[in-house]
Amino acid sequence: IRLPRPGVAAADPLALRALVVLGLVVGVTVGHDDWSRRLTAALTPHFGAAAAHAPASLDLWINPPDYTSIPPLYLEQADNKAADTASAAQGAPKAVTVPAGSTLLAQVTGGGDLPVLRIGQNDQNFERVGDGAYRVSTELKAGDRIAVLQDGKELAAWPLELVPDSPPQVDLASTPTRTDRGVLRLDYEASDDYGVVSVKAMIQRIDQPDKDPLEIDLLLPGGDRRKVAHSSYHDLTAHPWAGLNVDLRLVAEDAISQRAVSYP
């Protein structure tokens, strides 16, 4: 084997090889403190694009208002797929029924684009809370369908039925009477879908209808207050209106300040 005979100079009459040497010198000078990491990164394959588009997972909670005493409802993406399979055989899927005013909290992990929450026809973007993690929270006031979309397709969807909070009802169970000691006895009945919060008697002078009425808080029983039948006693013998003709109404109120007024 003969001795090597370099022919680079003949093939590089413009001496551009000096730029290669210069680039090497500059690279060593700039990156000498980080050469091992740079070399490792250069020789390591990257699958970031594939990881960013890994299948997304969805978790969704619906928390009814505290005053309803209804436990939170947890919906899973897997439950949605099972419901789709069952609905294909049995017809329309069963709607998710929750009180109006419930809070929806959804979290998506993975996938590509920013997810979107769709309630009825209204869209709301998720917020990024970490690397590949997104979250959104909203109050359910209207709409008949919940859907979460990402990358142009639905991750999951559920029919939605919002149950409005009905106002309370109240009335006297019998004509007001007085005891042997002259104490006023009021027998009343009240009801509300999630429980009565307060019941008051409003007493108004007939001869002075513009005068502020007398308000009396009626006793409420303990326990379940969705249906109340109770008696309340009040000694008004020392009141300046004692002996005068008055109108009496009952007023019931629920947790969201909806009121019901009885006939006088």
Side-chain angles (χ1 to χ4, degrees), residues 66-81:
D66 292 339
Y67 69 85
T68 65
S69 299
I70 298 176
L73 180 63
Y74 177 51
L75 303 177
E76 290 186 289
Q77 190 174 1
D79 295 338
N80 176 259
K81 294 179 180 179

Side-chain angles (χ1 to χ4, degrees), residues 58-61 73-87 93-94 96 155-159:
L58 167 66
D59 295 303
L60 191 145
W61 298 262
L73 180 63
Y74 177 51
L75 303 177
E76 290 186 289
Q77 190 174 1
D79 295 338
N80 176 259
K81 294 179 180 179
D84 288 343
T85 303
S87 63
K94 185 177 179 181
V96 176
L155 297 181
W158 295 267

